Amino acid sequence: MTQAETSFDWIVLGAGPGGYVCALRGAQLGKRVALVEKRPTLGGTCLNVGCIPSKALLHSTEVLTAARDHGSHHGIGGTIEVQLDQLMQHKDEVVAKLVGGVRQLVDGRGITVFTGEGALAGDGEVLVRGEEGEVRLRADAVILATGSRSVELPFLPFDGETILSSDEAIALEAIPEKMVVIGAGAIGLEMGSVWQRLGAEVDVVEFLPRIAAGFDPEISKVAERIFKKQGLRFHKSTKVTGASHGKEGRVVLTAEGPKGEDLSFEADKVLVSVGRAPVSDGLGLEEVGVELDEKKRVKTDGHFRTSVAGVYAIGDLIAGPMLAHKAEEEGVALAEQLAGQAGHVNYFAIPNVIYTDPEIAAVGYGAEAAKEAGHEIRTGRFPIAANGRALATDATEGLVLVHADASTDRLLGVEIVSRNASEMIASAVAHIEYGGSAEDLARTVHAHPTLSEAVKEAALAVDGRALHSL
Ligand code: FAD
């Protein structure tokens, strides 16, 4: 390879939502960008084994529950059968289409892709080891976007067969009879719902006293009640302590219950969804002096600069919520900053979503966080059951909470449990982004009939004037 073929303005390491979006924005801004990815396809965790395949499975199983559990009441009946291989094939096709689409975008913008494992080699150099050997690349800026991987429990290492990470839980070839999900966060609740809808008995074991602990207790409580009705079984304040072999290839988990009592769970499959850890090993970081924090994330300043000049980091690899849209926004902001523009991420306005049915979505502060930040708040509530569209679409479970500062009415946070909450939250994000008030949100026209009207009504309720509830 000639020097021209290995010299770039920027090298981006990792082609997930952080890395590939940063590369695209850099190319838009006229930079020569190399994108290094060890997977054969682009798109990272999110497109290959995360956001997209999980949402495809959630959708397929929502089609199933709509027909099987609610069909008769619409005059739709008959035998419903699940063909798991076809359901998985649909998911795989969605993933293939999207990762192919990213490749087209990247190629179309003139970004050079290197397939292989990259590591810093000092002085703006990156060594890429691929199937075709080694190549040494050079650039003025190196952007680390190597993402994250599932965390293992020390006494329960992943074996890909019985003890699963989400990578395997999105690709099972048979429906398990009994599944235990350890961890009731986004991934546990989403994948637990998928397999429960498909017919598995699912026990969700959570160390904390509530599920969906990233949200306010009121939201967790409402969500738990709904998911229990659907058939998920929750064991909160329960700590899994060990595992042994059971009958017929099953595993027996031992646990300590809320009162210190001994519990045990038998399962054909155990999904360990207790969090994700940054991929900061094997990148030559220590050798060149890139500092890590106590969680092995790359330390960055407010401009994504690491402790080594010319080396930057974004996405799951650095502090902050491990979310695809956070990684993307950081990718764009960094690209713009490196090109001399004023790229910026408003971390307060990053929505957080769990894609169960109903979905859970929030932006800004929850009630507890708002009070901790020193705000006196007024909260408007609106039950989804009072929304016309919800009634017409079998989506009556849930509520909306709108928190505003008691003296200024500034919108501080919105929390939603509802079908389509992931879409409904967008208007709240926009108001928070612009520094709007609950009054602004309440006066924004929301189309009728939509579930989003519940957001407007909850904003009206901040001032005690919701129109469609008493
Ligand atoms: P990643 O997407 O992890 O990409 C990093 C890339 O770097 C990978 O492709 C990896 O192969 C590559 N890489 C690593 N080391 C090297 C190396 N040395 N050389 C070359 N390449 C390397 N987030 C949401 O916002 N919404 C969701 O609905 C959602 N659902 C999820 C569901 C699941 C099951 C999982 C696991 C995650 C989900 N996430 C979701 C989280 C989301 O996937 C991550 O936050 C996001 O992918 C982070 O983007 P990233 O670019 O930082 O890293």
Side-chain angles (χ1 to χ4, degrees):
M1 273 188 148
T2 64
Q3 198 182 343
E5 287 168 325
T6 55
S7 290
F8 296 89
D9 294 323
W10 307 347
I11 301 165
V12 181
L13 212 55
Y20 88 74
V21 167
C22 183
L24 287 177
R25 186 73 185 113
Q28 275 180 342
L29 292 165
K31 301 293 173 189
R32 284 193 69 232
V33 186
L35 184 58
V36 181
E37 171 56 55
K38 66 180 178 188
R39 272 199 174 88
T41 52
L42 305 183
T45 303
C46 179
L47 270 63
N48 289 282
V49 291
C51 328
I52 297 300
S54 60
K55 264 80 260 176
L57 294 178
L58 282 158
H59 177 66
S60 294
T61 53
E62 275 158 23
V63 171
L64 168 68
T65 52
R68 184 189 61 197
D69 306 340
H70 303 284
S72 61
H73 137 110
H74 296 275
I76 298 166
T79 314
I80 308 271
E81 274 177 28
V82 175
Q83 273 153 16
L84 189 64
D85 52 349
Q86 203 171 325
L87 192 147
M88 289 292 168
Q89 190 186 327
H90 167 261
K91 173 210 65 173
D92 293 339
E93 283 167 5
V94 170
V95 169
K97 204 165 182 174
L98 272 175
V99 298
V102 171
R103 182 70 204 221
Q104 271 181 353
L105 289 171
V106 162
D107 289 345
R109 295 235 175 250
I111 295 161
T112 311
V113 176
F114 291 88
T115 306
E117 198 149 349
L120 296 182
D123 267 349
E125 289 194 346
V126 168
L127 189 66
V128 184
R129 290 194 181 91
E131 277 180 8
E132 283 150 32
E134 280 186 7
V135 53
R136 195 171 280 270
L137 309 177
R138 246 226 116 260
D140 298 332
V142 178
I143 295 143
L144 305 172
T146 51
S148 62
R149 61 166 75 91
S150 304
V151 169
E152 272 183 342
L153 289 172
F155 54 87
L156 209 57
F158 296 129
D159 61 15
E161 283 295 321
T162 314
I163 314 300
L164 313 176
S165 74
S166 57
D167 293 5
E168 294 90 33
I170 57 163
L172 296 182
E173 286 170 2
I175 300 167
E177 229 175 279
K178 285 171 180 277
M179 178 181 246
V180 170
V181 174
I182 308 179
I187 293 175
L189 291 172
E190 290 180 12
M191 294 316 302
S193 294
V194 163
W195 291 108
Q196 183 270 325
R197 291 170 192 169
L198 287 168
E201 274 180 42
V202 178
D203 285 282
V204 183
V205 182
E206 169 58 58
F207 175 69
L208 294 171
R210 58 197 176 88
I211 69 161
F215 296 81
D216 256 345
E218 186 171 354
I219 294 291
S220 299
K221 210 164 158 184
V222 170
E224 183 182 338
R225 182 178 47 72
I226 300 168
F227 299 151
K228 264 188 185 159
K229 269 203 275 178
Q230 294 173 356
L232 285 176
R233 294 192 295 238
F234 292 104
H235 310 271
K236 297 171 293 171
S237 302
T238 299
K239 184 181 174 187
V240 178
T241 50
S244 57
H245 295 293
K247 283 183 227 139
E248 293 161 15
R250 284 190 170 156
V251 63
V252 178
L253 298 178
T254 49
E256 195 182 305
K259 298 185 183 104
E261 70 276 30
D262 291 334
L263 300 173
S264 75
F265 301 92
E266 204 186 28
D268 330 84
K269 302 282 178 194
V270 177
L271 165 61
V272 181
S273 47
V274 296
R276 296 184 58 84
V279 176
S280 54
D281 48 349
L283 302 176
L285 302 186
E286 229 174 275
E287 291 82 341
V288 303
V290 172
E291 282 177 25
L292 304 182
D293 70 10
E294 71 295 346
K295 292 186 173 167
K296 299 228 165 3
R297 299 173 298 197
V298 171
K299 269 194 198 172
T300 51
D301 67 5
H303 296 279
F304 312 107
R305 289 182 290 227
T306 70
S307 52
V308 171
V311 180
Y312 304 82
I314 54 173
D316 281 8
L317 182 63
I318 68 170
M322 286 183 162
L323 294 169
H325 42 285
K326 177 260 193 188
E328 286 187 41
E329 290 304 322
E330 289 181 340
V332 170
L334 173 59
E336 293 178 351
Q337 289 173 14
L338 288 175
Q341 299 187 353
H344 171 73
V345 180
N346 178 0
Y347 289 95
F348 190 63
I350 294 181
N352 185 18
V353 180
I354 301 182
Y355 292 82
T356 40
D357 184 26
E359 295 176 338
I360 309 173
V363 63
Y365 289 134
E368 280 186 350
K371 287 174 202 157
E372 274 164 27
H375 292 276
E376 198 183 317
I377 61 168
R378 289 201 300 170
T379 295
R381 283 187 175 71
F382 191 79
I384 297 293
N387 173 279
R389 184 70 182 278
L391 200 61
T393 54
D394 298 325
T396 50
E397 306 257 41
L399 91 163
V400 180
L401 302 179
V402 170
H403 308 297
D405 186 277
S407 56
T408 65
D409 196 43
R410 185 173 177 156
L411 191 58
L412 294 175
V414 174
E415 303 182 90
I416 306 172
V417 180
S418 170
R419 169 105 30 100
N420 285 357
S422 57
E423 306 285 350
M424 291 160 74
I425 200 73
S427 71
V429 174
H431 280 279
I432 288 204
E433 181 68 38
Y434 299 144
S437 62
E439 177 80 18
D440 291 325
L441 184 54
R443 289 194 181 274
T444 301
V445 182
H446 289 71
H448 177 76
T450 57
L451 292 166
S452 293
E453 286 172 286
V455 176
K456 176 190 170 83
E457 289 275 2
L460 281 166
V462 168
D463 198 29
R465 55 194 172 99
L467 290 165
H468 292 90
S469 74
L470 296 172

